[in-house]
Amino acid sequence: MSNVRYELSEKTIPGFEPQLLYLSVSKYGSDWMSTLHYHPHMEVLFVMEGEGFFHLDEKKYPIGRGSLVVVNPNRYHTESSSEKSALEIAVIGVDNLFFDFKKREFSDTLEEEEQSPPVFDFSEYYGELRDLIRQINRELLDKPQHYQVMSHY
């Protein structure tokens, strides 16, 4: 597995509440470690290539090219790749952000809540998302003037 991670050294940029912490790009290989883990921050995972599964707590969701996964803070998760079609994923760590994925349905007497899956099909926007991730990657790699501000945008 090739794994490249770029971290932003300054954690606080005035005027930005959600903070971009890192961008990590990984490709499935013999050293891929699929271990349940959690973070005190949110992660957004975008599948660049391949197929596999996203594991969240006790549930397993199929993912493939164009899947976008949102992992709220402190949720146990991991990814596993298909042997036939190796996963290549980009993971963006973001602090100070949380999404409410509860679906609310109202009946005459009761409000029911159900948790929505955290996996979304963004294959229609694959090219645009891939290009944005590549731009962030380029900023973090080359570190031109104001790269941290550009990466946050």
Side-chain angles (χ1 to χ4, degrees), residues 107-146:
S107 66
D108 292 336
T109 58
L110 185 63
E111 177 185 356
E112 295 181 14
E113 287 189 355
E114 181 182 321
Q115 192 74 17
S116 296
V119 179
F120 303 92
D121 180 10
F122 271 64
S123 55
E124 181 179 344
Y125 306 102
Y126 173 80
E128 292 93 332
L129 287 171
R130 180 200 61 219
D131 292 346
L132 286 171
I133 289 168
R134 286 180 178 170
Q135 282 181 290
I136 295 170
N137 191 15
R138 197 169 22 256
E139 290 289 326
L140 296 175
L141 178 63
D142 297 343
K143 295 184 169 120
Q145 186 175 15
H146 307 298

mmCIF file of all heavy atoms in Angstrom, residues 107-146:
data_model
loop_
_atom_site.group_PDB
_atom_site.id
_atom_site.type_symbol
_atom_site.label_atom_id
_atom_site.label_comp_id
_atom_site.label_asym_id
_atom_site.label_seq_id
_atom_site.Cartn_x
_atom_site.Cartn_y
_atom_site.Cartn_z
ATOM 1 N N SER A 107 -45.491 10.750 12.105
ATOM 2 C CA SER A 107 -46.815 10.156 11.956
ATOM 3 C C SER A 107 -47.781 11.019 12.767
ATOM 4 O O SER A 107 -47.379 12.022 13.356
ATOM 5 C CB SER A 107 -46.816 8.709 12.438
ATOM 6 O OG SER A 107 -46.593 8.671 13.829
ATOM 7 N N ASP A 108 -49.008 10.628 12.827
ATOM 8 C CA ASP A 108 -49.991 11.418 13.568
ATOM 9 C C ASP A 108 -49.679 11.503 15.055
ATOM 10 O O ASP A 108 -50.001 12.486 15.711
ATOM 11 C CB ASP A 108 -51.394 10.831 13.387
ATOM 12 C CG ASP A 108 -51.888 10.993 11.966
ATOM 13 O OD1 ASP A 108 -51.403 11.913 11.268
ATOM 14 O OD2 ASP A 108 -52.748 10.194 11.548
ATOM 15 N N THR A 109 -49.031 10.494 15.583
ATOM 16 C CA THR A 109 -48.829 10.462 17.029
ATOM 17 C C THR A 109 -47.370 10.414 17.466
ATOM 18 O O THR A 109 -47.071 10.629 18.616
ATOM 19 C CB THR A 109 -49.521 9.222 17.630
ATOM 20 O OG1 THR A 109 -48.996 8.052 17.016
ATOM 21 C CG2 THR A 109 -51.020 9.309 17.430
ATOM 22 N N LEU A 110 -46.464 10.142 16.541
ATOM 23 C CA LEU A 110 -45.108 9.839 16.971
ATOM 24 C C LEU A 110 -44.082 10.318 15.946
ATOM 25 O O LEU A 110 -44.299 10.241 14.749
ATOM 26 C CB LEU A 110 -44.983 8.313 17.145
ATOM 27 C CG LEU A 110 -43.703 7.732 17.701
ATOM 28 C CD1 LEU A 110 -43.471 8.218 19.133
ATOM 29 C CD2 LEU A 110 -43.790 6.221 17.693
ATOM 30 N N GLU A 111 -42.959 10.817 16.441
ATOM 31 C CA GLU A 111 -41.828 11.134 15.579
ATOM 32 C C GLU A 111 -40.842 9.989 15.707
ATOM 33 O O GLU A 111 -40.434 9.632 16.801
ATOM 34 C CB GLU A 111 -41.160 12.439 16.008
ATOM 35 C CG GLU A 111 -39.931 12.776 15.195
ATOM 36 C CD GLU A 111 -39.189 14.006 15.697
ATOM 37 O OE1 GLU A 111 -39.663 14.657 16.635
ATOM 38 O OE2 GLU A 111 -38.122 14.277 15.148
ATOM 39 N N GLU A 112 -40.454 9.385 14.579
ATOM 40 C CA GLU A 112 -39.503 8.280 14.591
ATOM 41 C C GLU A 112 -38.187 8.744 13.982
ATOM 42 O O GLU A 112 -38.170 9.499 13.023
ATOM 43 C CB GLU A 112 -40.051 7.101 13.787
ATOM 44 C CG GLU A 112 -41.296 6.500 14.395
ATOM 45 C CD GLU A 112 -41.802 5.327 13.590
ATOM 46 O OE1 GLU A 112 -41.062 4.810 12.727
ATOM 47 O OE2 GLU A 112 -42.953 4.931 13.827
ATOM 48 N N GLU A 113 -37.092 8.273 14.570
ATOM 49 C CA GLU A 113 -35.766 8.602 14.053
ATOM 50 C C GLU A 113 -35.065 7.335 13.616
ATOM 51 O O GLU A 113 -35.155 6.300 14.259
ATOM 52 C CB GLU A 113 -34.914 9.303 15.117
ATOM 53 C CG GLU A 113 -35.331 10.704 15.398
ATOM 54 C CD GLU A 113 -34.353 11.430 16.293
ATOM 55 O OE1 GLU A 113 -33.392 10.809 16.780
ATOM 56 O OE2 GLU A 113 -34.547 12.630 16.503
ATOM 57 N N GLU A 114 -34.358 7.452 12.514
ATOM 58 C CA GLU A 114 -33.565 6.345 12.003
ATOM 59 C C GLU A 114 -32.255 6.935 11.500
ATOM 60 O O GLU A 114 -32.231 8.012 10.911
ATOM 61 C CB GLU A 114 -34.320 5.685 10.854
ATOM 62 C CG GLU A 114 -33.605 4.505 10.251
ATOM 63 C CD GLU A 114 -34.387 3.935 9.079
ATOM 64 O OE1 GLU A 114 -35.620 3.882 9.148
ATOM 65 O OE2 GLU A 114 -33.740 3.573 8.095
ATOM 66 N N GLN A 115 -31.152 6.257 11.726
ATOM 67 C CA GLN A 115 -29.838 6.732 11.300
ATOM 68 C C GLN A 115 -29.656 6.452 9.811
ATOM 69 O O GLN A 115 -29.840 5.330 9.357
ATOM 70 C CB GLN A 115 -28.738 6.028 12.101
ATOM 71 C CG GLN A 115 -27.379 6.633 11.962
ATOM 72 C CD GLN A 115 -27.229 7.934 12.719
ATOM 73 O OE1 GLN A 115 -28.004 8.265 13.585
ATOM 74 N NE2 GLN A 115 -26.215 8.694 12.373
ATOM 75 N N SER A 116 -29.317 7.484 9.034
ATOM 76 C CA SER A 116 -29.038 7.311 7.607
ATOM 77 C C SER A 116 -27.645 6.740 7.425
ATOM 78 O O SER A 116 -26.745 7.028 8.211
ATOM 79 C CB SER A 116 -29.099 8.654 6.879
ATOM 80 O OG SER A 116 -30.383 9.183 6.937
ATOM 81 N N PRO A 117 -27.427 5.956 6.378
ATOM 82 C CA PRO A 117 -26.067 5.467 6.110
ATOM 83 C C PRO A 117 -25.135 6.644 5.804
ATOM 84 O O PRO A 117 -25.561 7.625 5.198
ATOM 85 C CB PRO A 117 -26.237 4.575 4.883
ATOM 86 C CG PRO A 117 -27.688 4.290 4.790
ATOM 87 C CD PRO A 117 -28.404 5.426 5.452
ATOM 88 N N PRO A 118 -23.874 6.548 6.189
ATOM 89 C CA PRO A 118 -22.927 7.639 5.971
ATOM 90 C C PRO A 118 -22.273 7.598 4.588
ATOM 91 O O PRO A 118 -21.341 8.342 4.318
ATOM 92 C CB PRO A 118 -21.882 7.394 7.061
ATOM 93 C CG PRO A 118 -21.861 5.899 7.180
ATOM 94 C CD PRO A 118 -23.290 5.463 6.969
ATOM 95 N N VAL A 119 -22.734 6.695 3.712
ATOM 96 C CA VAL A 119 -22.129 6.517 2.394
ATOM 97 C C VAL A 119 -23.047 7.127 1.344
ATOM 98 O O VAL A 119 -24.239 6.826 1.288
ATOM 99 C CB VAL A 119 -21.891 5.022 2.084
ATOM 100 C CG1 VAL A 119 -21.288 4.847 0.707
ATOM 101 C CG2 VAL A 119 -21.002 4.391 3.145
ATOM 102 N N PHE A 120 -22.455 7.987 0.500
ATOM 103 C CA PHE A 120 -23.215 8.681 -0.535
ATOM 104 C C PHE A 120 -22.594 8.403 -1.897
ATOM 105 O O PHE A 120 -21.374 8.320 -2.026
ATOM 106 C CB PHE A 120 -23.207 10.190 -0.269
ATOM 107 C CG PHE A 120 -23.746 10.544 1.084
ATOM 108 C CD1 PHE A 120 -22.888 10.653 2.170
ATOM 109 C CD2 PHE A 120 -25.096 10.738 1.275
ATOM 110 C CE1 PHE A 120 -23.380 10.970 3.432
ATOM 111 C CE2 PHE A 120 -25.594 11.052 2.539
ATOM 112 C CZ PHE A 120 -24.735 11.168 3.616
ATOM 113 N N ASP A 121 -23.440 8.289 -2.909
ATOM 114 C CA ASP A 121 -22.966 8.068 -4.276
ATOM 115 C C ASP A 121 -22.733 9.421 -4.945
ATOM 116 O O ASP A 121 -23.683 10.120 -5.295
ATOM 117 C CB ASP A 121 -23.987 7.256 -5.071
ATOM 118 C CG ASP A 121 -23.541 7.010 -6.510
ATOM 119 O OD1 ASP A 121 -22.369 7.294 -6.844
ATOM 120 O OD2 ASP A 121 -24.372 6.532 -7.294
ATOM 121 N N PHE A 122 -21.465 9.784 -5.088
ATOM 122 C CA PHE A 122 -21.087 11.031 -5.732
ATOM 123 C C PHE A 122 -20.421 10.764 -7.082
ATOM 124 O O PHE A 122 -19.645 11.574 -7.567
ATOM 125 C CB PHE A 122 -20.142 11.838 -4.827
ATOM 126 C CG PHE A 122 -20.864 12.759 -3.892
ATOM 127 C CD1 PHE A 122 -21.704 12.271 -2.915
ATOM 128 C CD2 PHE A 122 -20.706 14.132 -3.996
ATOM 129 C CE1 PHE A 122 -22.377 13.113 -2.053
ATOM 130 C CE2 PHE A 122 -21.369 14.986 -3.139
ATOM 131 C CZ PHE A 122 -22.213 14.479 -2.162
ATOM 132 N N SER A 123 -20.720 9.598 -7.682
ATOM 133 C CA SER A 123 -20.072 9.246 -8.950
ATOM 134 C C SER A 123 -20.382 10.254 -10.044
ATOM 135 O O SER A 123 -19.567 10.472 -10.949
ATOM 136 C CB SER A 123 -20.452 7.826 -9.383
ATOM 137 O OG SER A 123 -21.851 7.680 -9.450
ATOM 138 N N GLU A 124 -21.534 10.914 -9.959
ATOM 139 C CA GLU A 124 -21.887 11.943 -10.944
ATOM 140 C C GLU A 124 -20.910 13.124 -10.875
ATOM 141 O O GLU A 124 -20.690 13.817 -11.855
ATOM 142 C CB GLU A 124 -23.310 12.420 -10.678
ATOM 143 C CG GLU A 124 -23.811 13.461 -11.646
ATOM 144 C CD GLU A 124 -25.248 13.884 -11.361
ATOM 145 O OE1 GLU A 124 -25.962 13.182 -10.615
ATOM 146 O OE2 GLU A 124 -25.646 14.933 -11.895
ATOM 147 N N TYR A 125 -20.326 13.341 -9.699
ATOM 148 C CA TYR A 125 -19.398 14.460 -9.488
ATOM 149 C C TYR A 125 -17.961 13.980 -9.309
ATOM 150 O O TYR A 125 -17.127 14.702 -8.779
ATOM 151 C CB TYR A 125 -19.838 15.261 -8.259
ATOM 152 C CG TYR A 125 -21.265 15.704 -8.342
ATOM 153 C CD1 TYR A 125 -22.261 15.033 -7.637
ATOM 154 C CD2 TYR A 125 -21.633 16.765 -9.160
ATOM 155 C CE1 TYR A 125 -23.589 15.425 -7.739
ATOM 156 C CE2 TYR A 125 -22.961 17.162 -9.264
ATOM 157 C CZ TYR A 125 -23.933 16.490 -8.550
ATOM 158 O OH TYR A 125 -25.238 16.870 -8.646
ATOM 159 N N TYR A 126 -17.693 12.764 -9.741
ATOM 160 C CA TYR A 126 -16.385 12.149 -9.533
ATOM 161 C C TYR A 126 -15.242 13.057 -10.017
ATOM 162 O O TYR A 126 -14.284 13.304 -9.286
ATOM 163 C CB TYR A 126 -16.308 10.787 -10.229
ATOM 164 C CG TYR A 126 -14.928 10.194 -10.187
ATOM 165 C CD1 TYR A 126 -14.477 9.554 -9.050
ATOM 166 C CD2 TYR A 126 -14.054 10.313 -11.271
ATOM 167 C CE1 TYR A 126 -13.196 9.029 -8.980
ATOM 168 C CE2 TYR A 126 -12.783 9.794 -11.211
ATOM 169 C CZ TYR A 126 -12.351 9.158 -10.071
ATOM 170 O OH TYR A 126 -11.089 8.649 -10.009
ATOM 171 N N GLY A 127 -15.330 13.530 -11.247
ATOM 172 C CA GLY A 127 -14.259 14.348 -11.816
ATOM 173 C C GLY A 127 -13.989 15.610 -11.022
ATOM 174 O O GLY A 127 -12.833 15.953 -10.753
ATOM 175 N N GLU A 128 -15.050 16.288 -10.630
ATOM 176 C CA GLU A 128 -14.898 17.529 -9.868
ATOM 177 C C GLU A 128 -14.277 17.270 -8.498
ATOM 178 O O GLU A 128 -13.369 17.982 -8.076
ATOM 179 C CB GLU A 128 -16.244 18.246 -9.692
ATOM 180 C CG GLU A 128 -16.820 18.790 -10.979
ATOM 181 C CD GLU A 128 -17.780 17.829 -11.671
ATOM 182 O OE1 GLU A 128 -17.633 16.588 -11.510
ATOM 183 O OE2 GLU A 128 -18.668 18.310 -12.383
ATOM 184 N N LEU A 129 -14.763 16.236 -7.802
ATOM 185 C CA LEU A 129 -14.207 15.924 -6.484
ATOM 186 C C LEU A 129 -12.760 15.461 -6.578
ATOM 187 O O LEU A 129 -11.922 15.859 -5.762
ATOM 188 C CB LEU A 129 -15.059 14.874 -5.777
ATOM 189 C CG LEU A 129 -16.404 15.383 -5.264
ATOM 190 C CD1 LEU A 129 -17.267 14.230 -4.785
ATOM 191 C CD2 LEU A 129 -16.202 16.385 -4.154
ATOM 192 N N ARG A 130 -12.470 14.613 -7.563
ATOM 193 C CA ARG A 130 -11.091 14.162 -7.753
ATOM 194 C C ARG A 130 -10.172 15.358 -7.995
ATOM 195 O O ARG A 130 -9.080 15.448 -7.420
ATOM 196 C CB ARG A 130 -11.025 13.192 -8.932
ATOM 197 C CG ARG A 130 -9.605 12.676 -9.189
ATOM 198 C CD ARG A 130 -9.436 12.124 -10.584
ATOM 199 N NE ARG A 130 -9.709 13.190 -11.538
ATOM 200 C CZ ARG A 130 -10.363 13.036 -12.693
ATOM 201 N NH1 ARG A 130 -10.815 11.859 -13.039
ATOM 202 N NH2 ARG A 130 -10.561 14.058 -13.499
ATOM 203 N N ASP A 131 -10.605 16.297 -8.820
ATOM 204 C CA ASP A 131 -9.783 17.474 -9.114
ATOM 205 C C ASP A 131 -9.575 18.340 -7.876
ATOM 206 O O ASP A 131 -8.470 18.860 -7.656
ATOM 207 C CB ASP A 131 -10.407 18.301 -10.238
ATOM 208 C CG ASP A 131 -10.358 17.581 -11.582
ATOM 209 O OD1 ASP A 131 -9.616 16.569 -11.709
ATOM 210 O OD2 ASP A 131 -11.069 18.019 -12.511
ATOM 211 N N LEU A 132 -10.616 18.496 -7.048
ATOM 212 C CA LEU A 132 -10.458 19.274 -5.813
ATOM 213 C C LEU A 132 -9.467 18.610 -4.870
ATOM 214 O O LEU A 132 -8.623 19.283 -4.261
ATOM 215 C CB LEU A 132 -11.813 19.439 -5.117
ATOM 216 C CG LEU A 132 -12.773 20.424 -5.759
ATOM 217 C CD1 LEU A 132 -14.144 20.329 -5.107
ATOM 218 C CD2 LEU A 132 -12.238 21.843 -5.687
ATOM 219 N N ILE A 133 -9.547 17.299 -4.744
ATOM 220 C CA ILE A 133 -8.612 16.572 -3.881
ATOM 221 C C ILE A 133 -7.188 16.713 -4.425
ATOM 222 O O ILE A 133 -6.242 16.916 -3.664
ATOM 223 C CB ILE A 133 -9.037 15.103 -3.732
ATOM 224 C CG1 ILE A 133 -10.311 15.042 -2.874
ATOM 225 C CG2 ILE A 133 -7.921 14.255 -3.128
ATOM 226 C CD1 ILE A 133 -11.016 13.722 -2.872
ATOM 227 N N ARG A 134 -7.032 16.624 -5.721
ATOM 228 C CA ARG A 134 -5.703 16.800 -6.318
ATOM 229 C C ARG A 134 -5.171 18.216 -6.086
ATOM 230 O O ARG A 134 -3.965 18.393 -5.861
ATOM 231 C CB ARG A 134 -5.750 16.493 -7.813
ATOM 232 C CG ARG A 134 -5.855 15.015 -8.102
ATOM 233 C CD ARG A 134 -5.901 14.752 -9.578
ATOM 234 N NE ARG A 134 -5.944 13.316 -9.839
ATOM 235 C CZ ARG A 134 -6.176 12.784 -11.021
ATOM 236 N NH1 ARG A 134 -6.408 13.557 -12.066
ATOM 237 N NH2 ARG A 134 -6.190 11.479 -11.172
ATOM 238 N N GLN A 135 -6.054 19.220 -6.122
ATOM 239 C CA GLN A 135 -5.617 20.589 -5.853
ATOM 240 C C GLN A 135 -5.141 20.741 -4.418
ATOM 241 O O GLN A 135 -4.102 21.358 -4.160
ATOM 242 C CB GLN A 135 -6.752 21.579 -6.121
ATOM 243 C CG GLN A 135 -6.978 21.870 -7.578
ATOM 244 C CD GLN A 135 -8.089 22.881 -7.760
ATOM 245 O OE1 GLN A 135 -9.253 22.581 -7.516
ATOM 246 N NE2 GLN A 135 -7.717 24.080 -8.157
ATOM 247 N N ILE A 136 -5.906 20.172 -3.470
ATOM 248 C CA ILE A 136 -5.480 20.220 -2.065
ATOM 249 C C ILE A 136 -4.151 19.487 -1.905
ATOM 250 O O ILE A 136 -3.226 19.974 -1.244
ATOM 251 C CB ILE A 136 -6.554 19.610 -1.141
ATOM 252 C CG1 ILE A 136 -7.830 20.441 -1.158
ATOM 253 C CG2 ILE A 136 -6.022 19.484 0.290
ATOM 254 C CD1 ILE A 136 -9.009 19.774 -0.472
ATOM 255 N N ASN A 137 -4.033 18.334 -2.539
ATOM 256 C CA ASN A 137 -2.795 17.551 -2.491
ATOM 257 C C ASN A 137 -1.614 18.379 -3.009
ATOM 258 O O ASN A 137 -0.549 18.416 -2.388
ATOM 259 C CB ASN A 137 -2.973 16.273 -3.311
ATOM 260 C CG ASN A 137 -1.869 15.285 -3.106
ATOM 261 O OD1 ASN A 137 -1.084 15.383 -2.177
ATOM 262 N ND2 ASN A 137 -1.790 14.314 -3.996
ATOM 263 N N ARG A 138 -1.818 19.049 -4.129
ATOM 264 C CA ARG A 138 -0.749 19.864 -4.725
ATOM 265 C C ARG A 138 -0.355 21.008 -3.794
ATOM 266 O O ARG A 138 0.826 21.305 -3.607
ATOM 267 C CB ARG A 138 -1.211 20.395 -6.079
ATOM 268 C CG ARG A 138 -0.106 20.886 -6.960
ATOM 269 C CD ARG A 138 -0.501 21.182 -8.412
ATOM 270 N NE ARG A 138 -1.904 21.432 -8.677
ATOM 271 C CZ ARG A 138 -2.742 20.557 -9.236
ATOM 272 N NH1 ARG A 138 -2.333 19.365 -9.567
ATOM 273 N NH2 ARG A 138 -4.004 20.875 -9.461
ATOM 274 N N GLU A 139 -1.344 21.667 -3.190
ATOM 275 C CA GLU A 139 -1.056 22.755 -2.254
ATOM 276 C C GLU A 139 -0.233 22.262 -1.069
ATOM 277 O O GLU A 139 0.744 22.898 -0.674
ATOM 278 C CB GLU A 139 -2.357 23.398 -1.746
ATOM 279 C CG GLU A 139 -3.111 24.199 -2.768
ATOM 280 C CD GLU A 139 -2.423 25.498 -3.148
ATOM 281 O OE1 GLU A 139 -1.770 26.124 -2.291
ATOM 282 O OE2 GLU A 139 -2.549 25.889 -4.323
ATOM 283 N N LEU A 140 -0.633 21.129 -0.503
ATOM 284 C CA LEU A 140 0.055 20.604 0.676
ATOM 285 C C LEU A 140 1.435 20.051 0.350
ATOM 286 O O LEU A 140 2.330 20.067 1.192
ATOM 287 C CB LEU A 140 -0.805 19.540 1.352
ATOM 288 C CG LEU A 140 -2.140 20.035 1.920
ATOM 289 C CD1 LEU A 140 -2.961 18.867 2.446
ATOM 290 C CD2 LEU A 140 -1.925 21.078 2.998
ATOM 291 N N LEU A 141 1.616 19.570 -0.854
ATOM 292 C CA LEU A 141 2.908 19.037 -1.274
ATOM 293 C C LEU A 141 3.891 20.154 -1.612
ATOM 294 O O LEU A 141 5.023 20.180 -1.130
ATOM 295 C CB LEU A 141 2.732 18.110 -2.483
ATOM 296 C CG LEU A 141 3.991 17.504 -3.085
ATOM 297 C CD1 LEU A 141 4.688 16.602 -2.065
ATOM 298 C CD2 LEU A 141 3.643 16.708 -4.340
ATOM 299 N N ASP A 142 3.454 21.112 -2.431
ATOM 300 C CA ASP A 142 4.340 22.186 -2.909
ATOM 301 C C ASP A 142 4.501 23.320 -1.908
ATOM 302 O O ASP A 142 5.495 24.029 -1.938
ATOM 303 C CB ASP A 142 3.827 22.748 -4.239
ATOM 304 C CG ASP A 142 3.828 21.710 -5.350
ATOM 305 O OD1 ASP A 142 4.514 20.667 -5.204
ATOM 306 O OD2 ASP A 142 3.131 21.938 -6.356
ATOM 307 N N LYS A 143 3.517 23.514 -1.047
ATOM 308 C CA LYS A 143 3.527 24.562 -0.021
ATOM 309 C C LYS A 143 3.844 25.960 -0.568
ATOM 310 O O LYS A 143 4.722 26.652 -0.057
ATOM 311 C CB LYS A 143 4.483 24.213 1.107
ATOM 312 C CG LYS A 143 4.072 23.001 1.877
ATOM 313 C CD LYS A 143 4.996 22.754 3.052
ATOM 314 C CE LYS A 143 4.381 21.711 3.913
ATOM 315 N NZ LYS A 143 4.997 20.545 4.176
ATOM 316 N N PRO A 144 3.113 26.398 -1.597
ATOM 317 C CA PRO A 144 3.321 27.774 -2.063
ATOM 318 C C PRO A 144 2.810 28.753 -1.004
ATOM 319 O O PRO A 144 2.154 28.352 -0.033
ATOM 320 C CB PRO A 144 2.471 27.853 -3.338
ATOM 321 C CG PRO A 144 1.396 26.863 -3.120
ATOM 322 C CD PRO A 144 2.027 25.745 -2.314
ATOM 323 N N GLN A 145 3.081 30.023 -1.208
ATOM 324 C CA GLN A 145 2.632 31.033 -0.253
ATOM 325 C C GLN A 145 1.114 30.915 -0.063
ATOM 326 O O GLN A 145 0.370 30.756 -1.036
ATOM 327 C CB GLN A 145 2.987 32.426 -0.765
ATOM 328 C CG GLN A 145 2.693 33.511 0.232
ATOM 329 C CD GLN A 145 3.165 34.873 -0.256
ATOM 330 O OE1 GLN A 145 3.453 35.057 -1.428
ATOM 331 N NE2 GLN A 145 3.235 35.819 0.657
ATOM 332 N N HIS A 146 0.666 30.960 1.174
ATOM 333 C CA HIS A 146 -0.749 30.891 1.560
ATOM 334 C C HIS A 146 -1.385 29.533 1.269
ATOM 335 O O HIS A 146 -2.593 29.414 1.137
ATOM 336 C CB HIS A 146 -1.562 31.995 0.887
ATOM 337 C CG HIS A 146 -1.003 33.365 1.082
ATOM 338 N ND1 HIS A 146 -0.882 33.944 2.332
ATOM 339 C CD2 HIS A 146 -0.511 34.259 0.191
ATOM 340 C CE1 HIS A 146 -0.347 35.149 2.201
ATOM 341 N NE2 HIS A 146 -0.105 35.366 0.923
#
